Amino acid sequence: MLDTVSNRPELPAEIARRRTFAIISHPDAGKTTLTEKFLLYGGAIQMAGQVRAKGEARRTRSDFMKMEQDRGISVSASAMSFDFRNFRFNLVDTPGHSDFSEDTYRTLTAVDAAVMVIDGAKGVESQTQKLFEVCRLRDLPILTFCNKMDRESRDTFDIIDEIQENLAIDVTPASWPIGVGRDFLGCYDLLRDRLELMDRADRNKVAESIAIEGLDDPKLDENIPEHLLEKLREEVEMARELLPKLNPQAVLEGHMTPIWFGSAINSFGVKELMDGIGTYGPEPQPQKATPRQILPEETKVSGFVFKVQANMDPKHRDRVAFVRLASGHFSRGMKMTHVRSKKPMSITNPVLFLASDRELAEEAWAGDIIGIPNHGQLRIGDTLTEGEALKVTGIPSFAPELLQTVRAGDPMKAKHLEKALMQFAEEGAAKVFKPMIGSGFIVGVVGALQFEVLGSRIELEYGLPVRFEASQFTSARWVHGEKAEVDKLVNANKQHMAEDNDGDVVYLTRLQWDIDRIARDYPDVTLSATKEMMV
């Protein structure tokens, strides 16, 4: 691994071999397919499922919600751990659909690097750009995979230029495609001077790799038609002159991204990308926290909750808190302090995820992601330590952009509805507001598809049909300020006020005018569109 100049001691070997990363992309760039192939190479599954294949083959392993399996999209981020060569990969698959972007933003707080998947025909799309900005804010190292090269795709230089311009990051090619679309034969591995040829017949087969001595090696003539070979030599020469050389340090600092080309569905280029993650991806990094940052090599164990998933197993009303370990060596049965409530918790049945299968985690190290089943004690943003009062910072919660009122189909079941809504609010799947005047709840989400998901989950998991109705409000803002000032605002604007599921005061708005009026009439109160998930 690359030495960064610092006076920190070397990480223990078990921690140093961890690579914790998320896959980010625009919907449909092939992210879930790539995840499947990672698991295939890690020996975790025998045959990769396709998101849209037939019968049993189409059960992709990382989409476990009924709705995800029906629609072929990923709705919630899932975590998977597997070994590859001498590395331990902790991979978090995130939803690409923009309606679930908040889940994705939070996930990015729990990883050390991101793999950005780009569709060879479409290049950088809007959602990729948005997610990329978040990586930028966190200085996350980024590795890029340009997928679907076996379909008609754009010129390689165009794709690289677009990434450099739109995302303002240096791009260095780690491999170079030979032909595109029907003519796509494989790639030339620029880092190791190898020829990687794609096998179209068997999608689950690893591509064959031929070691060569530079671009003049006669072995190239045997394997590549003349017109493609000429183009390859010309393009690689241009690329080597025009594009920056791979600088591992710049990659770790987030200023440069190496790009691999391939076709995930044909299992091509995936192994090279995985080698790249192992070689150039960062080891577990220090976590920002108050009053001090947490270093992975510390012997005391600490971790934080970045996601809560309810009812992963519909037969048991279980809730699993996804915890990213920030330091130490965790073993099953440990007593940890739940910093928010200051109560000790005995963690007797932590789980490691292999997509939808889970196994008991006897031990875990800094960088790993474990699931802790609990009955609602753990919330997003909670920190667990061995006694020290540390709070991991920087886990955001965003103001919803769509609000609707929700009512139970059966008025006698209003109490059940309240319980279901609170559970989803704690999971971060939606914001739930209880208006100070009137009955009922207002549910706020980032994207319209979330209402559908919510409605179908409340019905499936709680047996409660619900209906969503238009609300007069369009957005919500958290209210911050001195108690006396906030009370003054609340008493004068009761019809606009609500509380969120944590009991924090929220101002519901209809128009931008409402926000401007509050800013004018109550200068000592701030209305904020984000709230940090800390209690």
Side-chain angles (χ1 to χ4, degrees), residues 53 86 158 248 266 282 307 311 364 372 404 420 441 463 508:
N86 48 1
D158 285 354
N266 287 304
K307 172 187 166 64
N311 305 344
I372 299 181
Q404 291 193 352
F441 288 91
L508 300 172

Side-chain angles (χ1 to χ4, degrees), residues 246-399:
L246 179 65
N247 172 352
Q249 192 54 38
V251 173
L252 288 179
E253 287 165 7
H255 306 315
M256 172 183 273
T257 175
I259 181 167
W260 283 264
F261 293 86
S263 157
I265 202 155
N266 287 304
S267 308
F268 182 77
V270 179
K271 202 153 115 285
E272 290 69 37
L273 172 64
M274 291 172 82
D275 282 332
I277 295 168
T279 313
Y280 303 107
E283 306 170 330
Q285 295 295 302
Q287 285 295 334
K288 291 193 178 89
T290 53
R292 63 177 187 83
Q293 67 166 358
I294 304 171
L295 301 175
E297 65 269 19
E298 290 172 23
T299 49
K300 293 239 159 115
V301 178
S302 63
F304 62 96
V305 179
F306 66 95
K307 172 187 166 64
V308 174
Q309 182 71 50
N311 305 344
M312 273 176 87
D313 180 352
K315 293 195 265 313
H316 308 282
R317 280 245 174 279
D318 71 338
R319 306 179 39 158
V320 175
F322 286 69
V323 174
R324 151 79 197 237
L325 292 178
S327 65
H329 176 201
F330 167 88
S331 49
R332 186 158 89 92
M334 269 183 100
K335 272 206 171 24
M336 306 281 291
T337 302
H338 180 224
V339 175
R340 173 166 56 92
S341 66
K342 304 188 178 58
K343 290 193 175 126
M345 274 183 88
S346 219
I347 300 171
T348 47
N349 49 357
V351 289
L352 274 177
F353 300 98
L354 185 86
S356 55
D357 307 326
R358 12 168 148 169
E359 47 179 82
L360 272 182
E362 289 304 330
E363 57 167 10
W365 296 79
D368 283 338
I369 289 169
I370 57 171
I372 299 181
N374 67 95
H375 295 292
Q377 302 95 310
L378 292 175
R379 291 199 201 158
I380 294 171
D382 277 354
T383 307
L384 295 170
T385 65
E386 282 196 58
E388 192 179 346
L390 294 170
K391 285 186 180 166
V392 170
T393 56
I395 299 179
S397 178
F398 297 94

Side-chain angles (χ1 to χ4, degrees), residues 33-223:
T33 310
L34 183 64
T35 306
E36 292 285 301
K37 296 297 157 114
F38 275 5
L39 294 176
L40 181 73
Y41 285 145
I45 53 178
Q46 296 312 303
M47 180 182 138
Q50 264 180 281
V51 182
R52 290 192 176 73
K54 293 185 182 70
E56 261 315 295
R58 80 167 279 270
R59 303 276 181 272
T60 55
R61 307 296 201 282
S62 57
D63 290 349
F64 59 83
M65 267 190 209
K66 186 170 185 317
M67 181 161 179
E68 293 180 305
Q69 291 167 355
D70 293 347
R71 284 196 171 201
I73 59 170
S74 299
V75 172
S76 71
S78 50
M80 286 149 267
S81 303
F82 55 94
D83 287 310
F84 174 73
R85 306 235 154 103
N86 48 1
F87 296 107
R88 174 73 172 191
F89 281 0
N90 295 306
L91 156 67
V92 188
D93 179 26
T94 58
H97 200 291
S98 60
D99 286 6
F100 303 98
S101 51
E102 190 171 339
D103 197 21
T104 307
Y105 291 138
R106 278 201 292 264
T107 301
L108 289 173
T109 58
V111 295
D112 301 313
V115 170
M116 176 165 70
V117 184
I118 286 178
D119 180 328
K122 297 183 186 145
V124 177
E125 296 170 90
S126 56
Q127 186 61 21
T128 319
Q129 197 139 1
K130 224 165 140 186
L131 292 168
F132 184 84
E133 305 282 290
V134 180
C135 296
R136 254 305 156 66
L137 288 172
R138 300 183 46 79
D139 285 331
L140 278 185
I142 291 175
L143 305 160
T144 306
F145 183 69
C146 184
N147 193 16
K148 305 194 180 179
M149 294 306 290
D150 57 326
R151 304 196 188 166
E152 285 314 314
S153 60
R154 293 165 38 189
D155 177 71
T156 311
F157 282 107
D158 285 354
I159 294 171
I160 290 178
D161 280 349
E162 186 177 5
I163 298 172
Q164 292 196 341
E165 273 168 35
N166 283 359
L167 307 179
I169 189 169
D170 288 334
V171 180
T172 176
S175 68
W176 200 266
I178 305 168
V180 290
R182 285 214 183 102
D183 295 339
F184 181 66
L185 290 181
C187 283
Y188 177 66
D189 184 336
L190 291 162
L191 301 178
R192 295 180 301 185
D193 271 334
R194 297 184 83 82
L195 183 63
E196 310 287 347
L197 296 177
M198 182 169 93
D199 182 352
R200 282 177 187 261
D202 181 0
R203 286 182 158 170
N204 285 325
K205 189 171 157 244
V206 179
E208 65 174 311
S209 170
I210 302 166
I212 51 176
E213 305 286 325
L215 282 166
D216 301 325
D217 193 315
K219 285 189 214 155
L220 286 172
D221 303 307
E222 295 162 28
N223 290 292

